[in-house]
Amino acid sequence: MRRATGYAAEVTLSDGQRFASLGGVTVRNRRLVLLWLRRQALRLANAHGGAVRDALPADVRPVRFHGSDAPERLRFWATDGPRQDDAIRALEAGFPLLLTVVDPAVGLSLTLAGWRGCLADHP
């Protein structure tokens, strides 16, 4: 088994003391990791106050936000060209990509993270 450079992404939820993973993926390139993170950000933003449709097996579980601007921040990050350009450049340079939104009404923070890692590649 050889190792190939790849990328990973995960969405986590925290109450300040405990962390839970809502889901993650491992992919071969930075564009795919950014695409997955954008999809999850939009799904989480759009699921606020409504049902989630068109879920894929790798999609994260939805989160209910309580009285916060977290859905709008997620949507803005996912659709803003300059922020997406910054994100792809950070991944390209080998830096992790982190976006955290906070729901102060219930003390939760949601983090979307992407980073360069290794993929196991079968011969």
Side-chain angles (χ1 to χ4, degrees), residues 3-8 26-30 33 115-120:
R3 305 293 269 179
T5 301
Y7 290 81
T26 303
V27 294
R28 295 212 176 267
N29 65 59
R30 65 186 174 272
V33 85
W115 62 94
R116 186 183 303 187
C118 289
L119 296 173

Side-chain angles (χ1 to χ4, degrees), residues 35-111:
L35 182 66
W36 186 83
L37 287 168
R38 287 179 62 199
R39 176 177 169 77
Q40 302 319 306
L42 290 171
R43 286 187 73 254
L44 289 164
N46 294 338
H48 178 63
V52 178
R53 294 186 287 258
D54 302 327
L56 298 175
D59 286 339
V60 300
R61 297 180 306 240
V63 171
R64 181 176 173 119
F65 297 104
H66 300 82
S68 91
D69 66 348
E72 290 76 24
R73 290 192 58 223
L74 288 167
R75 191 174 291 107
F76 179 72
W77 176 82
T79 60
D80 184 64
R83 282 186 173 58
Q84 293 302 301
D85 292 344
D86 290 345
I88 201 75
R89 281 194 296 272
L91 289 169
E92 184 176 44
F95 295 108
L97 169 63
L98 296 170
L99 171 69
T100 300
V101 295
V102 177
D103 187 346
V106 291
L108 292 177
S109 62
L110 177 85
T111 300

